[in-house]
């Protein structure tokens, strides 16, 4: 399918806003939205291969689409893990059978994915994975626990990093498995309640869960190579779209500062200007590195920049409102969940920005070791 904007696409922004206004929730409606995008071929436009029901687009076109989607205030995507992480990984490392089986449902918005990487004892240190997978005939039997698994409560499938060699240590003996989530009694998903009152992350318990041998990606014991390849797909065009959302948040905070009189404070004005200038710097840095390869430190630098910037923005959001920021948008009731407004959500949720996706400490270690060539941090025996 060729990439081109049509007359129908011109009303995309209006339709997206109408969708947000008409649908309060999440799961079922987000899944329907994924199917709407898939039916029009808008899922997978950045894949290096077509033929799976997706349009194909050049880098500039991908940026245009991502930024327009963000400006439209279109619904948050629930299929981005399958589209932007799993699919490029399968195209790079999967068999033709795996690509034929899994990519069309992703492109159609029919199957949603989650990522089974982090564990209670192996969050930032991914090589410490202890979840085990034992081969039994045509299946692997998986036992262990994953945590901070985004959208696991909605996902149909999970790609799981598990240890298939019981005597292995660190990054050796790991395998990358595609696991169906609909396994009652073998897979349990427990939502994690966040400070915002929502539960986007989950604990996932595998108790003898099964994955077919043909759903092993890259070969047994090659999971670390596949997993690291996947992490490289996390950055890119989506960073620029993310910054459109950041700009919308900053604009809202500036308007609030003017309305409340906080903008008359020279210290607040200086902070607002700094946020604006740093956001512009992040955009130019993202454009500079877009489509590049071989710069091991670029993703870590970008993560450090935006995570800390966004945290400071959350702090600024409540500062410009003064005491009013401590009260919710509706009267509190012990019989109903508490509600928070967008500024309060920004402040609370952004506390996690410097932790998830690789903590600040991990990003600085990557830069120190892989870019500056400093001695490696001791991690125990291999």
């Amino acid at each position: 399918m060729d990439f081109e904007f049509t007359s129908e696409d011109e009303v995309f922004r209006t339709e997206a806003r109408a969708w947000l206004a008409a649908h309060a929730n999440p799961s079922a409606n987000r899944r329907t939205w994924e199917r709407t995008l898939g039916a029009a071929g808008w899922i997978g436009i950045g894949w290096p291969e077509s033929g799976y029901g997706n349009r194909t687009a050049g880098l500039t076109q991908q940026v245009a689409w991502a930024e327009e989607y963000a400006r439209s205030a279109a619904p948050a995507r629930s299929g981005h893990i399958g589209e932007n992480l799993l699919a490029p990984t399968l195209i790079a490392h999967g068999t033709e059978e795996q690509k034929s089986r899994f990519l069309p449902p992703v492109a159609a918005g029919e199957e949603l994915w989650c990522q089974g990487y982090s564990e209670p004892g192996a969050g930032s240190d991914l090589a410490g994975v202890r979840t085990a997978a034992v081969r039994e005939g045509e299946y692997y039997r998986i036992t262990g626990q994953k945590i901070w698994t985004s959208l696991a409560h909605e996902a149909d499938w999970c790609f799981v990093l598990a240890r298939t060699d019981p005597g292995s240590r660190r990054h050796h003996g790991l395998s990358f498995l595609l696991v169906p989530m609909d396994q009652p009694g073998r897979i349990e998903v427990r939502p994690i309640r966040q400070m915002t009152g929502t539960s986007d992350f989950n604990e996932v318990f595998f108790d003898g869960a099964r994955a077919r041998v043909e759903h092993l990606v890259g070969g047994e014991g090659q999971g670390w190579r596949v997993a690291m390849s996947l992490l490289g797909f996390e950055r890119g065009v989506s960073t620029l779209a993310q910054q459109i959302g950041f700009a919308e948040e900053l604009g809202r905070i500036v308007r609030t500062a003017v309305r409340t009189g906080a903008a008359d404070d020279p210290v607040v004005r200086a902070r607002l200007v700094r946020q604006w200038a740093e956001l512009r710097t992040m955009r130019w840095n993202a454009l500079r590195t877009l489509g590049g390869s071989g710069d091991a430190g670029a993703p870590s630098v970008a993560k450090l920049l935006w995570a800390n910037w966004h945290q400071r923005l959350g702090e600024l959001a409540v500062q410009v409102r003064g005491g009013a920021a401590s009260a919710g948008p509706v009267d509190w009731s012990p019989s109903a969940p508490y509600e928070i407004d967008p500024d309060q959500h920004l402040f609370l949720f952004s506390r996690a920005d410097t932790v998830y996706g690789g903590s600040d400490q991990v990003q600085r270690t990557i830069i120190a070791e892989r870019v500056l060539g400093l001695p490696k941090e001791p991690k125990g025996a291999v």
Side-chain angles (χ1 to χ4, degrees), residues 143-200:
T143 303
Q145 178 188 357
K146 299 294 180 178
I147 198 166
W148 308 122
T149 310
S150 300
L151 303 178
H153 57 298
E154 298 180 23
D156 304 294
W157 288 80
C158 180
F159 48 88
V160 176
L161 191 63
R163 198 165 293 281
T164 47
D165 180 354
S168 62
R169 298 289 302 275
R170 304 299 299 163
H171 59 276
H172 303 290
L174 298 172
S175 294
F176 190 98
L177 296 162
L178 310 180
V179 183
M181 292 293 287
D182 186 14
Q183 299 191 49
R186 293 183 176 140
I187 297 180
E188 180 184 0
V189 177
R190 298 180 190 172
I192 298 172
R193 185 175 174 83
Q194 300 153 217
M195 289 192 295
T196 56
T198 57
S199 299
D200 300 307

Side-chain angles (χ1 to χ4, degrees), residues 6-310:
T6 67
S7 58
E8 294 180 357
D9 297 325
E10 293 176 3
V11 297
F12 183 84
R13 290 188 190 183
T14 303
E15 291 177 347
R17 288 196 177 99
W19 178 275
L20 276 182
H23 299 81
N25 189 35
S27 307
N29 297 320
R30 287 204 305 236
R31 186 176 286 265
T32 302
W33 178 249
E34 289 296 318
R35 290 171 179 154
T36 300
L37 291 174
W42 287 115
I43 298 177
I45 65 172
W47 298 352
E49 294 181 9
S50 60
Y52 303 106
N54 58 307
R55 310 184 189 209
T56 54
L59 194 56
T60 301
Q61 293 168 322
Q62 292 174 47
V63 171
W65 161 254
E67 291 191 337
E68 285 305 302
Y69 190 94
R71 288 193 181 97
S72 298
R77 295 289 309 282
S78 57
H80 67 93
I81 294 175
E83 177 186 9
N84 299 320
L85 299 183
L86 175 77
T89 302
L90 286 184
I91 291 172
H93 301 283
T95 64
E96 289 303 318
E97 291 75 16
Q98 289 170 346
K99 290 190 284 186
S100 297
R101 163 59 185 86
F102 292 108
L103 296 187
V106 171
E110 294 290 343
E111 290 183 349
L112 303 181
W113 286 78
C114 60
Q115 175 176 323
Y117 274 19
S118 296
E119 298 181 4
S124 297
D125 183 13
L126 189 58
V129 162
R130 290 186 293 177
T131 294
V134 178
R135 181 166 179 174
E136 296 180 344
E138 296 303 309
Y139 292 89
Y140 283 95
R141 180 170 52 83
I142 304 169
T143 303
Q145 178 188 357
K146 299 294 180 178
I147 198 166
W148 308 122
T149 310
S150 300
L151 303 178
H153 57 298
E154 298 180 23
D156 304 294
W157 288 80
C158 180
F159 48 88
V160 176
L161 191 63
R163 198 165 293 281
T164 47
D165 180 354
S168 62
R169 298 289 302 275
R170 304 299 299 163
H171 59 276
H172 303 290
L174 298 172
S175 294
F176 190 98
L177 296 162
L178 310 180
V179 183
M181 292 293 287
D182 186 14
Q183 299 191 49
R186 293 183 176 140
I187 297 180
E188 180 184 0
V189 177
R190 298 180 190 172
I192 298 172
R193 185 175 174 83
Q194 300 153 217
M195 289 192 295
T196 56
T198 57
S199 299
D200 300 307
F201 308 123
N202 305 268
E203 293 179 281
V204 181
F205 296 85
F206 298 95
D207 185 8
R210 300 202 303 176
R212 299 185 68 89
V213 170
E214 62 261 35
H215 295 164
L216 168 71
V217 180
E220 187 170 288
Q222 298 300 310
W224 184 258
R225 177 175 63 91
V226 178
M228 292 302 100
S229 174
L230 180 143
L231 292 177
F233 297 124
E234 281 192 298
R235 292 86 180 175
V237 171
S238 60
T239 301
L240 291 166
Q242 177 192 53
Q243 291 171 6
I244 298 295
F246 288 170
E248 294 289 339
E249 291 174 337
L250 176 58
R252 185 181 73 237
I253 292 167
V254 169
R255 291 190 294 273
T256 300
V258 171
R259 186 178 68 252
T260 62
D264 296 333
D265 183 335
V267 174
V268 172
R269 285 204 307 273
R271 289 193 65 184
L272 290 170
V273 171
R274 177 183 175 184
Q275 293 290 137
W276 177 86
E278 289 179 346
L279 181 59
R280 297 298 297 175
T281 301
M282 288 192 294
R283 175 173 174 78
W284 291 118
N285 182 63
L287 289 170
R288 178 183 65 84
T289 60
L290 190 63
S293 60
D295 185 350
S300 293
V301 169
K303 174 63 165 58
L304 284 171
L305 287 174
W306 74 254
N308 286 274
W309 182 92
H310 203 221

